[in-house]
Amino acid sequence: MRLTFLGTGTSAGVPMIGCRCGVCTSDDPRDQRTRPSVMLSFGDDSAPDGERRLLVDTGQELRLQCVREGVERIDAVLYTHAHADHVYGLDDLRRFSGRMDDPLPLYAEAGTQEALRELFPYVFGEGRNPNGGFVPKLALQTVAAGESFRPLPTVPLSVTPLRLMHGRLPVLGFRFDSPEGSIAYCTDCSEVPEAARARLGGLDVLVLDALKPTKHPTHLSLAEAVAIAADLRAGRTFLTHLAHDLAHAELQERTPAGVEPAYDGLKVGPAPA
Ligand SMILES: [Zn+2]
Ligand SMILES: [Zn+2]
Ligand SMILES: [Zn+2]
């Protein structure tokens, strides 16, 4: 099991349009943060290329992220919530669904599915694709917080959706348990409720939202994320959904041992560093 950070930026991405700050103009490639998404990969000899892959969210840069990482196949997609920076790359899934016999499964809560149907009527609507053209073939599957499921039939992976609060919006985090270890991805949250914390013990890798150094109504601040990391004590904790306030090198200086800023293209597994 390996997690690849496809994107680690906040909703506007970094560099932001029209910003000339030190981070947005940085030469450090780790300061280029595309919209937030991760991919989980699993070895599987029965797959055409020996791997199965799960995507969490489909942001605006999905195409660029998949080209960069050489991703030719995706087996399932999980959605945390339906904000623009997590769903507006959905159309690019047609490159994957077009190569499959069956529709590509999308796992989402009922509320997220409702939003996806409204945002993409040409994909999900009644008069599907009225103007012709090539649309992704997708199959929405309902998931619920606390109810584990197995999205990849040939991979011994259990996924547990966890209820997180993103301001007042309930969203999902995901815990991934395989025989190799455990990884959890908790982006877009201002609060990790007690019920979720109870399911986030014994992790090898934890990924947490850490938007910026100052407090924010819908995202964890750097200090709040570091405090939750100390509470949950995963082997390694990585910070994502990063705005342009701090450069990667500055974030590294401000995080304690065991907590690290993520960057686009970073790959981590359950094995110790
Ligand atoms: Zn977001
Ligand atoms: Zn900036
Ligand atoms: Zn959001």
Side-chain angles (χ1 to χ4, degrees):
M1 175 160 65
R2 192 174 73 230
L3 179 145
T4 301
F5 287 93
L6 296 180
T8 57
T10 188
S11 57
V14 179
M16 289 207 300
I17 292 174
C19 186
R20 302 294 301 163
C21 80
V23 178
C24 287
T25 58
S26 163
D27 291 333
D28 186 340
R30 298 170 305 179
D31 291 332
Q32 307 249 332
R33 300 165 179 153
T34 59
R35 263 54 78 89
S37 173
V38 293
M39 177 177 70
L40 284 112
S41 314
F42 304 86
D44 180 350
D45 293 339
S46 65
D49 54 3
E51 270 197 9
R52 301 276 169 181
R53 299 184 196 90
L54 263 180
L55 206 58
V56 184
D57 294 332
T58 53
Q60 290 94 325
E61 282 110 357
L62 179 67
R63 171 182 148 264
L64 296 173
Q65 294 165 340
C66 289
V67 169
R68 185 190 74 211
E69 298 297 332
V71 183
E72 295 182 7
R73 178 196 165 99
I74 290 290
D75 298 281
V77 183
L78 277 52
Y79 281 101
T80 58
H81 64 308
H83 280 166
D85 53 326
H86 297 259
V87 303
Y88 273 162
L90 179 142
D91 189 74
D92 284 325
L93 292 176
R94 65 196 166 125
R95 285 295 298 160
F96 301 116
S97 69
R99 297 169 172 208
M100 300 169 74
D101 296 331
D102 298 321
L104 176 64
L106 307 191
Y107 294 86
E109 285 190 284
T112 300
Q113 292 186 24
E114 205 176 307
L116 289 176
R117 289 179 200 279
E118 279 175 25
L119 292 168
F120 300 95
Y122 72 98
V123 176
F124 299 110
E126 278 293 312
R128 196 168 168 276
N129 192 21
N131 303 320
F134 182 28
V135 302
K137 285 190 304 245
L138 311 171
L140 288 167
Q141 311 279 343
T142 306
V143 299
E147 293 177 18
S148 303
F149 62 100
R150 281 187 56 171
L152 304 172
T154 58
V155 176
L157 167 76
S158 169
V159 179
T160 307
L162 302 168
R163 169 65 66 233
L164 308 176
M165 293 308 294
H166 184 24
R168 282 180 306 192
L169 179 72
V171 302
L172 291 181
F174 295 103
R175 177 181 176 126
F176 303 93
D177 288 291
S178 90
E180 296 167 67
S182 305
I183 294 177
Y185 182 62
C186 299
T187 186
D188 290 66
C189 55
S190 46
E191 190 193 337
V192 180
E194 206 42 58
R197 290 194 195 213
R199 307 288 290 265
L200 288 169
L203 289 167
D204 296 292
V205 172
L206 168 65
V207 183
L208 273 180
D209 182 341
L211 184 74
K212 47 165 61 214
T214 49
K215 210 168 162 47
H216 190 275
T218 60
H219 291 273
L220 294 173
S221 69
L222 178 58
E224 288 167 338
V226 167
I228 292 171
D231 182 33
L232 296 176
R233 298 166 63 181
R236 299 171 80 187
T237 299
F238 293 89
L239 306 178
T240 192
H241 216 292
L242 305 167
H244 67 154
D245 303 80
L246 293 171
H248 185 84
E250 294 170 314
L251 274 163
Q252 281 180 313
E253 281 171 23
R254 292 205 192 189
T255 42
V259 182
E260 304 158 60
Y263 55 89
D264 288 25
L266 173 66
K267 294 171 181 62
V268 296

